[in-house]
């Protein structure tokens, strides 16, 4: 009986070891993400803390005749980067219910280019004040102690009396309001007799003369910090909205307490 020849044993070639995937780029990426998240959280926390401190600081700098709560929001990109440069991109102040010398109003202020050192000037300040009828009664005094009444659609009105042939006739003047600098101007548009002669239309030139035919300037400098000026006034819904602005304004206690004067 024959047997098959036995072949010499040849080991199979060794399999190359499997390479482990390089994990270090992903680990590095994860570390970087964690660092970014940590910086963002720190930035948000510091921004929130700074907003609270700023609100307290501003409240302490307000004149004694101003009362109310103020909310501060710091805008811009990274708060930490802004602090390093010593200047904040934008700061919003909201005071929905404050009183100034007993006058009720609401205010929204936008300041840009705000130094972290408040003894230095702010680049630009824009403020919007809303005054109701009670507030306007305190700040707007017309000739003859007439009261400026807020209407709708930009209109205002005030009452007065005029003498004609020995009779005292009451009249109502309607008009608009303009604001510029530290002055508010009432511009009469029409007048109507309201007492003593029924409700007749009258000629402004012949009967009411300069009282109702000429613009009435009202100085309000004594209500504004020095450097602040009126840009625009809008009347609607019984509310006066006044827009103010100032450049290179220092928001320290002295500046906020120094008001203009009227001749």
């Amino acid at each position: 009986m024959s047997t098959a020849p036995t072949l010499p044993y040849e080991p199979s070639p060794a399999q190359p070891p499997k390479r482990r995937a390089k994990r270090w780029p992903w680990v590095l990426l994860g570390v970087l993400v964690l660092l970014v998240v940590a910086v963002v959280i720190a930035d948000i926390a510091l921004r929130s803390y700074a907003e609270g401190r700023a609100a307290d600081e501003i409240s302490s700098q307000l004149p004694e005749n101003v009362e109310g709560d103020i909310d501060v929001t710091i805008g811009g990109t990274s708060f930490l980067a802004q602090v390093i440069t010593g200047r904040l991109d934008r700061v919003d102040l909201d005071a929905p219910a404050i009183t100034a010398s007993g006058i009720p109003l609401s205010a929204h202020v936008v300041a840009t280019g705000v130094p972290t050192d408040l003894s230095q000037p702010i680049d630009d300040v824009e403020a919007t004040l809303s005054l109701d009828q009670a507030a306007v009664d305190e700040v707007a005094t017309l000739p003859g102690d007439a009261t400026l009444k807020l209407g709708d659609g930009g209109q205002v009105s005030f009452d007065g009396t005029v003498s004609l042939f020995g009779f005292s006739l009451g009249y109502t003047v309607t008009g608009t309001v303009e604001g510029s600098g530290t002055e508010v101007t009432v511009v009469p548009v029409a007048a109507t007799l309201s007492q003593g002669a029924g409700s007749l239309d009258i000629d402004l030139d012949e009967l009411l003369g300069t009282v109702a035919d000429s613009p009435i300037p009202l100085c309000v400098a004594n209500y504004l910090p020095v450097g602040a000026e009126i840009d625009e006034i809008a009347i609607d819904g019984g509310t006066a909205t006044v827009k103010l602005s100032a450049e290179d304004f220092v928001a320290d206690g002295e500046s906020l307490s120094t008001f203009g004067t009227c001749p």
Side-chain angles (χ1 to χ4, degrees):
M1 179 177 180
S2 63
T3 59
T6 302
L7 298 176
Y9 172 74
E10 293 183 3
S12 59
Q15 297 294 325
K18 294 183 179 180
R19 294 184 178 181
R20 293 185 177 180
K22 294 182 178 180
R23 298 175 57 187
W24 66 266
W26 301 104
V27 173
L28 178 59
L29 179 60
V31 171
L32 291 176
V33 170
L34 290 176
L35 286 175
V36 171
V37 171
V39 170
V40 170
I41 292 175
D43 191 273
I44 294 173
L46 289 174
R47 188 188 299 257
S48 178
Y49 174 76
E51 289 172 344
R53 285 295 302 271
D56 293 339
E57 182 68 20
I58 293 172
S59 297
S60 67
Q61 298 284 354
L62 292 175
E64 294 182 356
N65 64 331
V66 178
E67 297 180 355
D69 295 328
I70 296 175
D71 293 326
V72 175
T73 302
I74 299 175
T77 54
S78 169
F79 174 70
L80 293 174
Q82 294 181 71
V83 171
I84 292 173
T85 62
R87 214 160 191 83
L88 304 179
D89 296 338
R90 170 171 171 154
V91 177
D92 286 48
L93 283 71
D94 281 296
I98 62 173
T99 59
S101 298
I103 301 171
L105 54 89
S106 64
H108 176 70
V109 180
V110 177
T112 55
V114 181
T116 53
D117 178 4
L118 290 181
S119 66
Q120 301 301 312
I122 301 171
D123 290 347
D124 293 287
V125 179
E126 295 182 356
T128 301
L129 307 180
S130 296
L131 295 83
D132 60 13
Q133 184 63 59
V136 171
D137 291 344
E138 295 290 336
V139 301
T141 302
L142 298 175
D145 294 329
T147 299
L148 187 66
K149 299 177 182 178
L150 305 177
D152 295 317
Q155 286 198 334
V156 295
S157 64
F158 63 91
D159 298 330
T161 58
V162 64
S163 180
L164 180 65
F165 304 126
F167 294 95
S168 181
L169 304 178
Y171 63 85
T172 298
V173 175
T174 58
T176 60
V177 173
E178 300 174 355
S180 178
T182 58
E183 190 171 87
V184 175
T185 303
V186 181
V187 182
V189 174
T192 302
L193 286 175
S194 57
Q195 296 177 3
S199 181
L200 303 176
D201 289 337
I202 58 176
D203 189 308
L204 297 179
D205 292 331
E206 293 184 3
L207 185 56
L208 299 182
T210 58
V211 174
D213 194 28
S214 300
I216 304 172
L218 305 173
C219 176
V220 293
N222 54 318
Y223 296 104
L224 302 175
V226 173
E229 295 186 344
I230 297 175
D231 295 328
E232 181 184 346
I233 296 179
I235 308 295
D236 194 34
T239 300
T241 302
V242 184
K243 293 187 177 181
L244 310 171
S245 65
E247 295 182 355
D248 297 326
F249 184 78
V250 179
D252 59 8
E254 181 179 356
S255 296
L256 293 173
S257 302
T258 304
F259 297 89
T261 57
C262 292

